[in-house]
Amino acid sequence: MHPAGLAAAAAGTPRLRKWPSKRRIPVSQPGMADPHQLFDDTSSAQSRGYGAQRAPGGLGYPAASPTPHAAFLADPVSNMAMAYGSSLAAQGKELVDKNIDRFIPITKLKYYFAVDTMYVGRKLGLLFFPYLHQDWEVQYQQDTPVAPRFDVNAPDLYIPAMAFITYVLVAGLALGTQDRFSPDLLGLQASSALAWLTLEVLAILLSLYLVTVNTDLTTIDLVAFLGYKYVGMIGGVLMGLLFGKIGYYLVLGWCCVAIFVFMIRTLRLKILADAAAEGVPVRGARNQLRMYLTMAVAAAQPMLMYWLTFHLVR
């Protein structure tokens, strides 16, 4: 063909344009990751997991799994074991209470602490001024002594216990004012006071046994009566700190005479009254020994009061 005709035909025929080729990207399946995604999307998995753990009520809270303790209690064998263990514990507690009451009479100790404020005030007045008191008999109700709060003559352990603790504290104060305080010295002071009290109780019990005195005076009664001397010791040391040696000797001397009279009038009803009830002559040998024993116990109180306090006042 003529070249001009070819050019005309080419001009009349439309020209095809080349479009860029498109590559078909496969649609990702629900379980497959997107190839263009840099990190895995875990939100859907968490939401599915969270939804799977929802409670049946549909409130959106995870269902509570039973704890091991609840599962243990739900077991019948475990319930039987717990009941058996409770019964063993109750039996053990009862056995311990019986043994403790055998060596430490808890029930009797409650009697000695049955006090009130009025009793404490009257008893302290009796210890400082025993000369004004007339009736020293202990009151009884159906062969049982009444509680101390109803009878000022009844022995108690509240005042001796509190007086002993206060004495130790006052001793520490006295040593501190003299620049001699130390925990070891304070412990020595307390232990020496307890040691003397123990020796007194043992010596009196041995003397009562040797003299063959049948009395209702118990060991706790002795501890109570012998512990009343700490009240006078506290007064003497405090007056010594405030007024020096003169105040110490005046107050301590008064307290020593008061505790001597108190012990004589109290113990003679416990020791000599039984002798009179037994028909022992007043001037008999055994009765004379009981009188000497009463006098010795009463005379030992002022001596110990001075021995345990004189070095605290300078």
Side-chain angles (χ1 to χ4, degrees), residues 4-313:
L6 291 175
T13 304
R15 199 175 202 183
L16 298 176
R17 297 179 59 184
K18 287 187 177 182
W19 295 91
S21 61
K22 295 183 179 180
R23 187 174 56 182
R24 188 177 182 86
I25 300 175
V27 180
S28 60
Q29 300 295 329
M32 299 176 59
D34 190 357
H36 296 284
Q37 188 174 352
L38 296 178
F39 301 99
D40 293 337
D41 186 8
T42 58
S43 60
S44 60
Q46 291 179 355
S47 62
R48 288 195 302 271
Y50 180 78
Q53 295 178 357
R54 289 186 180 180
L59 298 178
Y61 297 100
S65 58
T67 59
H69 183 66
F72 177 79
L73 293 178
D75 190 2
V77 179
S78 303
N79 292 333
M80 197 160 55
M82 290 184 61
Y84 183 69
S86 300
S87 64
L88 283 180
Q91 294 177 4
K93 182 178 180 300
E94 183 180 358
L95 183 61
V96 170
D97 292 341
K98 288 182 178 179
N99 290 331
I100 288 180
D101 193 65
R102 180 186 303 175
F103 298 102
I104 303 176
I106 303 297
T107 305
K108 293 182 180 179
L109 287 179
K110 291 180 180 179
Y111 164 81
Y112 290 94
F113 285 94
V115 301
D116 55 7
T117 305
M118 184 175 296
Y119 168 82
V120 173
R122 294 173 58 193
K123 193 72 171 188
L124 291 177
L126 181 60
L127 291 174
F128 283 106
F129 304 99
Y131 326 102
L132 306 177
H133 194 62
Q134 299 298 328
D135 185 15
W136 293 85
E137 291 284 346
V138 178
Q139 301 178 13
Y140 283 82
Q141 184 178 9
Q142 297 179 355
D143 298 334
T144 303
V146 299
R149 64 175 176 267
F150 301 118
D151 184 14
V152 70
N153 296 322
D156 72 285
L157 287 178
Y158 176 79
I159 293 178
M162 294 297 103
F164 176 79
I165 296 174
T166 307
Y167 160 72
V168 176
L169 296 178
V170 171
L173 176 63
L175 293 174
T177 56
Q178 303 168 15
D179 295 332
R180 297 190 296 134
F181 177 81
S182 67
D184 297 336
L185 190 58
L186 187 63
L188 180 62
Q189 190 75 23
S191 60
S192 61
L194 280 178
W196 279 110
L197 181 62
T198 305
L199 288 176
E200 281 185 282
V201 172
L202 294 178
I204 294 174
L205 291 177
L206 179 61
S207 301
L208 292 175
Y209 174 76
L210 294 177
V211 181
T212 63
V213 176
N214 296 324
T215 177
D216 60 349
L217 192 64
T218 63
T219 304
I220 304 179
D221 291 339
L222 289 177
V223 173
F225 289 132
L226 298 176
Y228 287 135
K229 64 174 172 288
Y230 295 115
V231 177
M233 294 163 59
I234 295 170
V237 175
L238 287 178
M239 291 299 103
L241 293 177
L242 295 176
F243 304 104
K245 284 283 188 179
I246 297 178
Y248 165 74
Y249 283 114
L250 287 178
V251 175
L252 186 67
W254 176 274
C255 293
C256 287
V257 176
I259 196 66
F260 179 81
V261 174
F262 174 82
M263 295 295 289
I264 287 290
R265 294 185 177 180
T266 301
L267 293 180
R268 74 176 182 178
L269 296 177
K270 297 288 186 179
I271 299 177
L272 298 179
D274 290 333
E278 293 172 2
V280 179
V282 177
R283 296 184 179 180
R286 291 179 56 188
N287 202 16
Q288 291 291 330
L289 290 176
R290 297 182 185 192
M291 293 179 60
Y292 293 150
L293 176 60
T294 304
M295 295 287 292
V297 174
Q301 305 309 302
M303 298 173 60
L304 289 174
M305 291 171 66
Y306 175 76
W307 177 258
L308 293 173
T309 57
F310 79 96
H311 59 282
L312 297 176
V313 180

